Amino acid sequence: MTEDVLIVHGGTPLQGQIRVRGAKNLVSKAMVAALLGESPSRLYDVPRIRDVEVVRGLLGLHGVKVSDGAEDGELVMDPTNVESASTDEINVHAGSSRIPILLCGPLLHRLGHAFIPDLGGCHIGPRPIDFHMKALREFGAVVDKTPEGMHLSAPNGLHGAKLELPYPSVGATEQVLLTAVRAEGVTELRNAAIEPEIIDLICVLQKMGAIITVHTDRVIEIQGVPKLYGYEHKPIPDRIEAASWAAAALATRGEIEVLGARQTDMMTFLNVYRNIGGELKITDDRVARDGVTGAEGGIKFWHPGTELKAVALETDVHPGFMTDWQQPLVVALTQARGISIMHETVYEQRLGYTEALNSMGATIQVYRDCLGGTPCRFGRRNFMHSAVIAGPSKLHAADLVIPDLRAGFAHLIAALAAEGTSRVYGVNLIKRGYEDFEQKLAALGAHVERP
Ligand code: EPU
């Protein structure tokens, strides 16, 4: 535990430029997609984060040769000799990520069977996989649950199906895409997730030879093809990381330019940022305007110097306000004058981290009721899923233990905004999704150190 602590001397505005690379929640899926190809794939701008290492390990176990390309952040994946991995080897990855579940379809296509260990990921609710399993069964997969995990087979092959998700789940939509592309016949998926990362995954699959149509009203149609090939792809930038740094600029009264951030994927966030009083400038037209080689744009975010304003918000599926933007932004909302409301409608237990903010001087109360928006799935089910934030509060230093990835970054921002010296335990968890965050903090002038 001692190595896994960061000492944060707070109270200094973060100022400067940092860069975001490919989105964690696309890169890991694009890596899984490589398994479906008959030839090598090349993915650019891959961040050095732990989730990428987990998928790299899983692909490696299944005979995919993964190597670094010539460019920084380039990954080459050669799936020519896909093979079965032993249950013991795969189980080393149990509990470390949610990604293994997405290997089901590709492994069934390539090998005729798959083994999936117990899943991990952030502890932000029960995170069931019932939608995934139901869809796989409808494609023709046979699932055998054992104490160590799930064994899947497809004795009669995988066939296109008419499916409808009870909720537009990101993972279940990806599951269907990765399975349907090589299933025999046509698949129609209703109530699909349409997050930018999903659309980017569809782009990857189309590059591989898939035929996928995105209709209006969350309907996706996939025409199965017998073979897919390798792809070359530069992923969409990480809009969760970009928003996290934007929130850090507000909370610490600083100014951060996030190079690589893209306006189109973040419009909902940018509107909210402005409503709070945050200032922003899109700088991605700089390259075109200046024509300077090597010049790179993004989005610059800064504190207005005047008081921030309270807002009422609810998280939702795309194009709503992302659940992963919620935690860092709540830290900034502790600095806004008035009463802010955050209604979390995607995960039922994603507000636990507010206790730590209260221990630092924030005034946040959580409720079971659906506050500030439309009633959601969690309203009558006893989940503390609405937060009322009264501000502004002067935050003071504290010892904090990081519970999960996004809440962890929120803890870090709170410590940076607070007066005094905080100790943040469990910071290595942040490496799951934030590349080089300590180097980035140093570049922004933060006073942080390892003991
Ligand atoms: N759900 C079910 N059954 C299922 C699948 C999902 O009930 O079989 C429910 C979940 O419990 C949740 C809701 O559906 O209440 C949405 O879950 P979803 O499947 O959309 O989430 P996910 O695919 O597991 C991805 C991201 C999350 C992000 C969500 C929502 C990855 C690896 N993870 O999770 O990212 O919060 O979509 O956008 O892509 C993160 O990056 O920190 C993170 C947690």
Side-chain angles (χ1 to χ4, degrees):
M1 197 69 169
T2 41
E3 307 101 65
D4 198 8
V5 58
L6 197 67
I7 299 173
V8 179
H9 307 286
T12 309
L14 296 188
Q15 254 153 356
Q17 275 182 339
I18 49 100
R19 181 170 185 270
V20 292
R21 297 222 261 192
K24 158 175 119 34
N25 291 347
L26 174 274
V27 165
S28 45
K29 324 307 170 53
M31 289 174 73
V32 174
L35 197 51
L36 285 163
E38 306 283 327
S39 49
S41 289
R42 223 169 255 276
L43 194 57
Y44 300 99
D45 223 16
V46 175
R48 280 182 303 273
I49 51 174
R50 222 187 64 216
D51 270 20
V52 166
E53 286 314 306
V54 170
V55 189
R56 194 177 175 137
L58 280 167
L59 291 181
L61 286 179
H62 290 95
V64 180
K65 278 202 208 103
V66 187
S67 52
D68 292 327
E71 240 178 62
D72 179 37
E74 180 183 334
L75 216 55
V76 184
M77 292 157 286
D78 184 351
T80 319
N81 297 309
V82 173
E83 60 192 21
S84 302
S86 82
T87 324
D88 288 349
E89 284 175 322
I90 303 175
N91 258 331
V92 172
H93 293 277
S96 57
S97 161
R98 308 267 311 159
I99 305 298
I101 185 82
L102 294 179
L103 264 65
C104 292
L107 287 178
L108 283 172
H109 284 303
R110 292 302 300 263
L111 300 169
H113 58 90
F115 168 71
I116 307 299
D118 263 352
L119 298 178
C122 288
H123 302 293
I124 50 183
R127 304 192 77 180
I129 51 166
D130 49 336
F131 305 167
H132 295 251
M133 296 335 289
K134 185 165 185 291
L136 284 163
R137 285 194 177 99
E138 297 206 20
F139 280 112
V142 175
V143 185
D144 179 23
K145 284 191 189 147
T146 63
E148 77 266 24
M150 280 179 310
H151 293 270
L152 291 97
S153 57
N156 302 313
L158 296 171
H159 301 274
K162 265 189 180 293
L163 305 164
E164 176 155 10
L165 295 177
Y167 181 81
S169 148
V170 169
T173 301
E174 292 159 346
Q175 180 77 262
V176 170
L177 287 169
L178 291 165
T179 309
V181 279
R182 278 188 58 176
E184 201 189 319
V186 176
T187 296
E188 182 188 88
L189 177 64
R190 298 193 159 265
N191 207 22
I194 47 161
E195 268 59 11
E197 291 78 11
I198 300 256
I199 303 300
D200 209 34
L201 178 63
I202 293 176
C203 290
V204 168
L205 293 167
Q206 191 178 46
K207 285 177 177 178
M208 298 177 80
I211 305 173
I212 303 172
T213 313
V214 182
H215 295 289
T216 49
D217 298 329
R218 300 189 174 278
V219 179
I220 301 181
E221 188 185 291
I222 306 117
Q223 259 173 267
V225 295
K227 268 194 178 170
L228 292 171
Y229 301 91
Y231 64 82
E232 284 199 24
H233 191 70
K234 182 173 187 291
I236 59 163
D238 200 309
R239 64 196 175 117
I240 307 179
E241 184 180 355
S244 302
W245 290 112
L250 264 197
T252 65
R253 304 181 71 86
E255 178 179 312
I256 301 178
E257 182 171 11
V258 185
L259 298 176
R262 203 167 69 173
Q263 181 184 13
T264 40
D265 312 321
M266 297 187 70
M267 285 188 155
T268 308
F269 179 84
L270 301 179
N271 288 336
V272 168
Y273 203 79
R274 276 217 170 113
N275 280 332
I276 297 173
E279 302 273 4
L280 62 99
K281 183 175 168 32
I282 313 297
T283 55
D284 65 2
D285 57 348
R286 188 191 292 152
V287 188
R289 204 179 53 239
D290 298 353
V292 184
T293 322
E296 188 183 16
I299 308 179
K300 188 192 269 189
F301 298 93
W302 69 98
H303 189 285
T306 51
E307 264 191 347
L308 301 180
K309 290 171 275 191
V311 287
L313 274 178
E314 66 180 354
T315 63
D316 208 345
V317 294
H318 189 75
F321 188 87
M322 282 187 97
T323 171
D324 305 283
W325 289 335
Q326 181 254 103
Q327 304 84 335
L329 197 79
V330 163
V331 181
L333 288 177
T334 66
Q335 304 308 302
R337 175 155 306 274
I339 305 286
S340 292
I341 295 173
M342 183 64 81
H343 179 208
E344 169 61 57
T345 79
V346 181
Y347 289 112
E348 52 273 65
Q349 285 168 31
R350 224 179 182 182
L351 294 172
Y353 72 96
T354 55
E355 258 178 49
L357 299 186
N358 285 341
S359 77
M360 302 176 80
T363 309
I364 305 176
Q365 183 128 15
V366 290
Y367 294 88
R368 292 191 167 81
D369 314 70
C370 296
L371 297 180
T374 37
C376 76
R377 300 172 292 156
F378 311 135
R380 278 182 302 280
R381 289 175 44 207
N382 221 18
F383 292 115
M384 295 290 211
H385 74 294
S386 291
V388 174
I389 306 127
S393 301
K394 199 166 174 46
L395 298 181
H396 52 76
D399 283 357
L400 305 165
V401 181
I402 282 182
D404 66 71
L405 178 61
R406 306 300 168 193
F409 200 83
H411 280 38
L412 193 59
I413 297 177
L416 290 159
E419 287 295 332
T421 299
S422 298
R423 294 172 79 86
V424 186
Y425 292 91
V427 277
N428 288 342
L429 201 56
I430 294 181
K431 294 183 182 164
R432 266 198 57 207
Y434 293 87
E435 182 181 41
D436 294 341
F437 78 92
E438 287 177 74
Q439 288 87 328
K440 288 181 185 173
L441 285 175
L444 296 170
H447 299 298
V448 297
E449 57 185 322
R450 292 281 187 167

